[in-house]
Amino acid sequence: MWTEIQGFDDRLIGALAAAGILIDASHTAMDRLRCMFCEASLAVFDGTHPSITGEDEEFFEEAPEAETKTVVPLMDVFADYVGERKPAPSTVKRWRPVIRALIAQLGHDDASRITTADLIAWKDRLLKQPGGRGVPMAARTVREIHLAAVKVVLGWAVENGRIPLNPAAGVNVRVPKATRLRAKEFNDDEARKILQAALAAGQGRISAQHMLARRWVPWLCAYTGARVGEITQMRGQDVSQRDGVWTIRITPEAGTVKTGAARIVPIHDHLIEMGFLKIARASEGPLFYDPRKGRGGSAGNPQSKKVAERIGAWVRKLGVSDSSIQPNHAWRHLFKSISRRAGMSTQACDVIQGHAARTEGEAYGEWRADVLAIEMSKFPRFHWEMPDADRAGLE
C-alpha cells in the first residue's frame, strides 16, 4: 500500500538517516520499518507518539540494525580484474591512469558509491576540459579508452559480486562520423616513395637494428599485410619452412598479437629473392631491436612498439604526410586492396592478415602453409628493385 504513495520510501529513508540509521530500499528490514513509520505517523496525529509521551528513546531501539556498507576500493577492483582476465600489458598501462583520474575527480576510491550521474559528469568534463595540448579530448578517445576502461572494470565488479549494478552501463559518447576524403591505403606514389627509401636505408647514422628495421619493415608489411607491431617484434626463430614453404610465424610468444592467436604467413618470393632469409638466419632473437639496449622498455611499452613508432616518424619525414592515412597501418589496407584485384581467396587473405573468421564454419580447421602459399603467389610484386650493389651484399 505505502509503496504506491509517491516518494514514501524516500521520506522514510530520509527520516531514518536523520536518526543515524543508514539503509536502502532493498534492505530486508524495510517492510517492518514501513509499518512502523506508518504507525508512528498516525500516532503523531492522535497524540500517542513516543516523542509526545516522552518515551521516544524506545522507538528507534526497536528498529533493526542496518547493515554497514562495505567500501569497495576501485583500484583494488582494477588490480583483481587484471589478475583474473590478464589483459595485454599495453591495455593495463593505458587503463590504469584512466582509473586513477576517475578516482581523483570523484574524490573517493569506492566503486560502490559511483553513480551514473558521476560518470556522466566525468565524461562531460573530459570532452570540455583542455588536455595536454590545450584542446579537449576527442570524443572517440573518451568513448574507446576512458569509458571503455570503466565499463569493463565495473562490469567485472558486478560479475564478481563487488557491486550490484554497473553505473557505466548506460553512459555513452556519440562520435560524429568522420569525413573521409581518401582511401586508408597508400597510393602508388606513397608506396613507391617508402619502399625505394627502404632500399637505401643503409644511409645515415643509425643503429644496426634500426637500419634493418627501415630496410625490411616496410617491405614485410607490404607483402604480409601484418600489423606493424607483429613485424617489429619478429624473431629469427619465427622464420622457418613448413610444408615445403618458407613462412613467418606471427605469435604471442614474440609479443602482442591482437587476436591472441599465432598464425602462419607464407613469405612472398620477392622477399626471398631480396635476401630476407639471410637476415632472419642471422639471429634467433629479435631482428629489429637489441633486447640488451631496452632503455626502460617494458611489457606495457615494449621495444618493438618503439621501433614501430620510429618507422612511422621516418615515413612522415619522407613526405608521406597526409593525416588521413596512418604511416604503418596503411600497408594493411593496401594489402587487402591488392589481394582483391589479384583474385586471392578472401578467406585466405583474412587468415594471412589475422582477421577474425566471419562465420563459425570459417573458424573450423586449419590453413596449411602450402595452401596459403598458393594464394600468396597471386599477390603481384612491387616493381621497385634493389640496386645491384646492395643486392650483392645480401646474396
Side-chain angles (χ1 to χ4, degrees):
M1 174 184 70
W2 46 77
T3 56
E4 298 175 0
I5 302 174
Q6 185 176 4
F8 181 91
D9 278 358
D10 291 339
R11 290 196 294 273
L12 170 56
I13 292 170
L16 292 169
I21 299 175
L22 301 179
I23 196 169
D24 60 41
S26 64
H27 195 282
T28 55
M30 279 298 289
D31 281 343
R32 184 183 172 196
L33 287 169
R34 290 185 184 105
C35 291
M36 294 174 67
F37 190 74
C38 286
E39 292 170 0
S41 299
L42 292 171
V44 169
F45 289 108
D46 63 19
T48 61
H49 189 271
S51 64
I52 298 174
T53 63
E55 300 171 353
D56 54 321
E57 292 85 358
E58 299 178 3
F59 176 73
F60 281 112
E61 288 177 3
E62 296 179 11
E65 290 188 8
E67 297 176 2
T68 302
K69 284 191 174 181
T70 302
V71 174
V72 183
L74 183 54
M75 284 307 300
D76 288 355
V77 171
F78 177 70
D80 292 344
Y81 159 78
V82 171
E84 180 181 298
R85 296 289 177 84
K86 294 180 173 50
S90 57
T91 300
V92 177
K93 180 177 183 288
R94 187 65 188 90
W95 283 12
R96 181 176 282 113
V98 169
I99 302 299
R100 286 176 175 161
L102 174 60
I103 291 170
Q105 162 131 344
L106 294 172
H108 66 79
D109 182 21
D110 186 355
S112 68
R113 291 171 54 192
I114 300 174
T115 66
T116 298
D118 290 334
L119 296 177
I120 291 174
W122 173 63
K123 176 256 299 185
D124 289 344
R125 182 179 180 185
L126 291 175
L127 291 170
K128 295 175 183 176
Q129 181 176 321
R133 297 180 180 178
V135 295
M137 194 174 294
R140 186 176 299 277
T141 301
V142 174
R143 183 183 70 183
E144 297 182 2
I145 296 178
H146 294 254
L147 269 181
V150 173
K151 283 185 179 183
V152 169
V153 172
L154 293 181
W156 181 91
V158 173
E159 293 171 5
N160 287 271
R162 307 291 182 88
I163 57 177
L165 296 171
N166 185 347
V171 183
N172 205 351
V173 176
R174 301 297 177 188
V175 179
K177 191 170 183 179
T179 301
R180 230 177 86 184
L181 302 178
R182 59 165 291 178
K184 294 181 179 180
E185 64 198 45
F186 293 124
N187 60 36
D188 287 348
D189 289 340
E190 291 164 337
R192 180 184 298 108
K193 180 178 291 187
I194 297 167
L195 295 181
Q196 286 183 335
L199 295 178
Q203 302 172 2
R205 298 177 62 182
I206 55 178
S207 69
Q209 284 77 23
H210 190 42
M211 186 182 301
L212 282 177
R214 284 189 184 181
R215 168 63 188 89
W216 289 105
V217 169
W219 281 91
L220 287 163
C221 286
Y223 276 129
T224 64
R227 301 171 182 89
V228 65
E230 296 172 339
I231 297 300
T232 58
Q233 69 195 20
M234 189 192 307
R235 306 165 300 175
Q237 69 191 70
D238 298 326
V239 178
S240 64
Q241 270 194 314
R242 296 169 184 267
D243 307 321
V245 175
W246 281 104
T247 66
I248 297 169
R249 184 170 184 259
I250 293 175
T251 171
E253 295 168 322
T256 299
V257 176
K258 186 175 182 179
T259 62
R263 70 181 189 274
I264 299 300
V265 178
I267 300 176
H268 196 281
D269 287 345
H270 195 189
L271 290 172
I272 294 174
E273 290 176 15
M274 288 194 293
F276 175 66
L277 295 182
K278 181 178 180 179
I279 300 300
R281 286 194 294 262
S283 171
E284 286 287 301
L287 299 179
F288 303 121
Y289 65 90
D290 185 345
R292 297 170 300 178
K293 300 177 181 178
R295 296 185 181 180
S298 64
N301 188 28
Q303 288 173 266
S304 58
K305 180 181 177 183
K306 296 177 181 179
V307 173
E309 290 170 351
R310 286 197 292 267
I311 292 297
W314 172 68
V315 168
R316 291 301 193 201
K317 289 180 180 178
L318 293 176
V320 182
S321 56
D322 191 334
S323 60
S324 300
I325 57 170
Q326 298 180 55
N328 292 318
H329 199 72
W331 289 118
R332 200 159 160 78
H333 289 277
L334 183 59
F335 183 91
K336 187 73 79 177
S337 294
I338 293 176
S339 71
R340 292 186 185 121
R341 295 199 298 269
M344 291 174 64
S345 158
T346 299
Q347 191 178 354
C349 184
D350 287 344
V351 171
I352 289 170
Q353 291 194 271
H355 281 131
R358 292 165 297 174
T359 67
E360 184 178 354
E362 286 187 359
Y364 275 62
E366 294 295 329
W367 282 78
R368 285 172 53 103
D370 52 354
V371 176
L372 291 174
I374 292 171
E375 296 302 316
M376 182 64 86
S377 68
K378 300 175 184 178
F379 195 93
R381 296 181 176 219
F382 291 95
H383 296 289
W384 303 301
E385 296 294 336
M386 177 182 290
D388 290 340
D390 291 339
R391 183 193 301 277
L394 292 171
E395 292 179 343

